[in-house]
Amino acid sequence: MRTDCGCGCGGDATRTSAFVRPRFFAGQLLTEDDLSLLVEYTTAKRRLHNRSLYGPGVICGLGVTCDPCGGGTVAVHPGHALDCAGNDIVVSCTERVDVTALVRERRVQALGVDCGEDCDDEDGRRYGLYVRYQELPVEPVAPYATEEPCPSPGCVPSRIQEGFRFVVRCDDSEDHRHNPGTRLLASIGDLPRADRARTRDRRLGHYADALTLAATGTGRTFRFDAADAQRYATAFAWLRENAGGEGPPPPSTAGEMTEHVRGLAAAIARFDTYDAAGQDQLRQNYPDLATLREARGALGTACERLRDADMKAAWPDPLRRSLANAVVTETAARVVPERGDPDAPLEVRMLAQGLPLGHALRVEFRADLGLIREWLLCRLDQAADLADCALRKDVADADVPPLLPAPQPDSTEKATIAEVQQIAEAATALATAVRRFLTDAACATLNPPCGDCTDTDVLLAHVELDGCDVVRVCSATREQVLPGGSAYGEWLPKLYRLRELAERVCCEPLAAYRTLPLPTEGPVARPYADGLLGDWPRTGDLEEMLSLLLTPAPGETPPKALHEQVYTTPSEVTDSMQELARLRTQVADLTAAVEGLRAHMGSAETQVTHLEERLAEREGTPDPAPDADGGEAPAPDRADEPPKPPAKRTRSPRPRTQKPGDTP
């Protein structure tokens, strides 16, 4: 059996239980350990129930009022409270508490200095009056003699008296309440960053089905029906009246004009997907199409004016502004020409659905997919309450297309079927993953965490001192014990609605994306994408659940936002790193130069050695040649004369090579 997998492997626990109770049997020798274990077991179980089922706070009573005699004394009335460790604090009768003495005692303990009775510096000071659980050993008795090697000396307390004492502290009481939105924010991280990822996922959601149909239905006709004819007539009438004029349109008009350009371009693009016979039949069914050439001209005029418009003012949101720019660019390139753009079937089919797909937009889609995937992986790496066990692998396996460089303005580079399919598949996979992650995070908030017990004092009231006198007592903000503990306190107004939503959201099968079926024959019935440039409302049970968790009710503490640490490298460090990189490059160049010089020196040494060997061979060979005067060599010396040492030959200096510019 494995014993190294944490708190449990399979069905059996591998660690000692937190609670062990004694078991008695006939003939057992009882010791003080057995009886003490029984007391400790029952006491620990009672404290566990208190802190888990009820939580810290005042159960009843313990009202704090001004003392009738005034001064620095208050009256604490009988009552019952629980601290965060589960201890019962029971005040059985009214207690008179000297707040001034407690303040002086606190100061002595903190500073080690007794300030006497001077209370002049207590003007307007506020303190919290707390009650603290304490135990006192009482009723000592002398134990009987035992055979223990080290018997207890003297008397030993035989009872533990549960009591309390009052303390004052600065007005900084700990709030044990737990807003469920805090746990949700811990899962999804920084809220603005999460919103950026979700908004981009929302924009891609408008395109996912359309991209799939455009890629798989190449060569198919998009149905032109009465709704398209009505859209054609309405948009053309508006543009014919308002598209003309000089200068760019104002921002308010530019936004409305872009919407009408998109509607008219979608209708004409659907018309362009038909063959000649189909177009003739459409003209017979819808007489308004007789003005098609004039409609293309109105689109061209509107696009020319929109190119010069202040699109940033018309579309403050950069995501919608990109869509609006794509409407203008793609309409001018694919629809305004007389016969459309037959060489760009994907772009025309996207326009037919009201969803332009330009080069710049494809670049943004690739970047958005990378951002969404990176956000999901980052949050899943830090998730502590993940219940969707296969989610991280599915996100990591998503085939996100690589980034593209920023395109030139008004670029009309055409897309390929493989690229469109890759974007569509990645968008659908990540959209499903985002929904699964948000569902998992929202459902995890319905399980309240166990609170940490770091402060066992229970706040009774806030007291305000003026000199040595208590001038005001406030007990309205202290914690009250509620059913389910204070951790559930703020959930009570939302709890039943959250449970109802959880039944439909949390335990249902995982969401799966299904591609829209493509008819085997006939035109493709694909609706026009209304609301692409407008607001993108978030609806459904999951969105309502998220809204309930993150929107504070009246009187509710707001959820605590997660402040993620962003590490930035100081400019001094980056400059030093760049200088170090340059120095490393220079050292590498110098090293290469030194190696080259060493190679040249080795070659030169080899040549010098070869020359020395040749000279040595010449010196060892006799020279029969005549002397310098042209006579014969001198005769050998006589026998009676000692031989003369041979004359030393001096090496003639090497001729110096004259360099250009040297004087002879």
Side-chain angles (χ1 to χ4, degrees), residues 48 64 98 122 279 336 456 561 648:
L48 174 64
V64 182
D98 189 345
E122 298 297 339
Q279 292 178 356
V336 171
T456 58
K648 295 183 179 179

Side-chain angles (χ1 to χ4, degrees), residues 244-272:
E246 297 181 357
S252 58
T253 305
E256 188 176 2
M257 185 180 295
T258 306
E259 280 285 10
H260 286 292
V261 166
R262 187 172 74 95
L264 183 57
I268 298 178
R270 286 177 184 257
F271 176 87
D272 288 342

Side-chain angles (χ1 to χ4, degrees), residues 62-68 73-77 94-95 461 463 470 473 475:
L62 292 178
V64 182
T65 59
C66 300
D67 191 283
T73 305
V74 296
V76 178
H77 298 276
T94 302
E95 299 280 349
V463 294
V470 176
V473 177
S475 304

